[in-house]
Amino acid sequence: MQRDHYTHANREAWNETAPRHAATQLDALHRAFAEPGYSRLDPTFTALLQRLGLQGRAVAQLACNNGRELLSVLNLGAAQGTGFDIAGAFLEQGRALARTAGLTERTEWVEGDLYHIPAHFDGRFDLVFVTIGALGWLPDLEAFYAVVARLLRPGGHFVAYEMHPLLDMCEAYDDQDPPRLFHSYFRRDPYVENDGLDYYSGERYDGKTSYWFHHTLADIIGGALRAGLVLEAFDEYPHDVSDVFASFAGRRVQLPLSYSLVARRA
Ligand SMILES: C[S@@+](CC[C@H](N)C(=O)[O-])C[C@H]1O[C@@H](n2cnc3c(N)ncnc32)[C@H](O)[C@@H]1O
């Protein structure tokens, strides 16, 4: 299946990136999580989650990477956290961070393609969330929402806090104001990259091929509705959540740089 081909390639690319991110990020994360109650979530996302209520909740993060956001959600009051990701090398980092944070007992790390999350996880979660650069790795949003809907308990919430899809029309690091538009908003073929995913250092290198998929806002909101989720809130923000588009904030012609979506399983 074409979807599995993309996921396989992206897994290779992410595992290749893990030691690079570790080299620049991991020590600082361990120092941060050694402090009780540490959270690296920004005020917008923190307030959103606190409005929904985290105390005692069972939470899943899909495409959790090294789990620093999931661990933050636990430090903000959630009871149990399960992180799902294809990249075993990042989950290893998550396990180590959980040990540092004293959260091992309250966390579970599941390696594999989120499209194939086993059925025994169905209906287990009060909150399922994705953040910052997750949806773009997914070739099929409809199938993604079907997974979200089955993981949630009735009444449970799905939250996305993500880069705005308008940014897929731009080139990162473009310093023009207004930013130039290079790609169609309705682009369907994936963005193919071969020069690495080390967005922290910004270094380009001869890396494994990865595939990024643009989804319109209609795909993102409509997909949730078609999966039977009830839309509770949708907001757009002028602040960057990606690092990659940091310089797009505070421009004269301000694009929306991020958004949040909250939907509930009926
Ligand atoms: C940019 S990172 C997520 C970022 C996260 N918000 C953070 O800041 O750490 C994207 C993650 O998606 C994961 N991923 C991509 N496709 C996936 C899939 N089909 N199933 C599970 N995880 C996937 C990658 O392995 C990677 O860790």
Side-chain angles (χ1 to χ4, degrees):
M1 187 183 198
Q2 184 70 349
R3 193 176 75 196
D4 293 340
H5 159 74
Y6 290 133
T7 303
H8 179 78
N10 286 342
R11 174 191 290 120
E12 303 267 300
W14 278 106
N15 276 327
E16 175 186 59
T17 312
R20 288 176 171 271
H21 282 196
T24 55
Q25 307 296 311
L26 207 52
D27 284 351
L29 282 172
H30 278 286
R31 280 196 298 279
F33 277 109
E35 298 293 324
Y38 171 74
S39 168
R40 59 129 14 242
L41 306 185
D42 73 14
T44 303
F45 195 36
T46 303
L48 190 159
L49 294 177
Q50 284 174 338
R51 272 199 303 278
L52 290 177
L54 288 174
Q55 294 304 320
R57 304 290 192 206
V59 176
Q61 182 177 11
L62 305 183
C64 69
N65 196 260
N66 64 17
R68 62 214 160 112
E69 292 150 332
L70 184 66
L71 296 172
S72 301
V73 169
L74 289 166
N75 276 341
L76 288 171
Q80 287 290 332
T82 306
F84 297 90
D85 203 285
I86 40 169
F90 274 112
L91 292 179
E92 263 323 302
Q93 297 177 18
R95 283 189 194 94
L97 289 170
R99 280 194 294 278
T100 297
L103 292 169
T104 301
E105 301 299 314
R106 290 161 57 197
T107 48
E108 184 178 13
W109 307 93
V110 183
E111 182 178 344
D113 184 355
L114 65 82
Y115 289 116
H116 302 300
I117 291 175
H120 64 84
F121 287 104
D122 290 1
R124 265 186 44 183
F125 300 105
D126 303 297
L127 172 69
V128 173
F129 75 97
V130 291
T131 61
I132 311 170
L135 295 185
W137 299 106
L138 305 179
D140 183 345
L141 224 47
E142 302 286 314
F144 164 76
Y145 277 118
V147 173
V148 169
R150 70 178 170 80
L151 293 178
L152 284 171
R153 291 192 179 126
H157 283 96
F158 169 68
V159 173
Y161 182 50
E162 265 286 10
M163 297 162 64
H164 201 286
L166 213 62
L167 294 175
D168 288 335
M169 301 176 74
C170 304
E171 290 288 340
Y173 311 111
D174 178 33
D175 59 3
Q176 302 284 299
D177 190 358
R180 291 167 292 178
L181 302 179
F182 294 88
H183 309 281
S184 168
Y185 184 68
F186 297 99
R187 175 172 173 156
R188 287 298 171 197
D189 55 314
Y191 293 71
V192 185
E193 292 287 349
N194 293 294
D195 46 11
L197 296 172
D198 193 1
Y199 44 83
Y200 288 117
S201 71
E203 190 191 331
R204 318 296 263 178
Y205 51 91
D206 186 17
K208 307 266 188 198
T209 304
S210 67
Y211 299 90
W212 173 266
F213 301 86
H214 170 68
H215 306 292
T216 66
L217 278 186
D219 298 333
I220 293 162
I221 298 171
L225 298 177
R226 283 188 289 280
L229 302 179
V230 179
L231 185 65
E232 289 197 345
F234 179 80
D235 286 290
E236 295 172 295
Y237 311 105
H239 62 255
D240 172 59
V241 292
S242 72
D243 291 337
V244 177
F245 287 95
S247 74
F248 282 48
R251 293 201 182 174
R252 184 181 59 82
V253 177
Q254 184 61 62
L255 297 183
L257 301 182
S258 52
Y259 71 89
S260 62
L261 177 151
V262 181
R264 176 173 40 84
R265 181 173 164 190

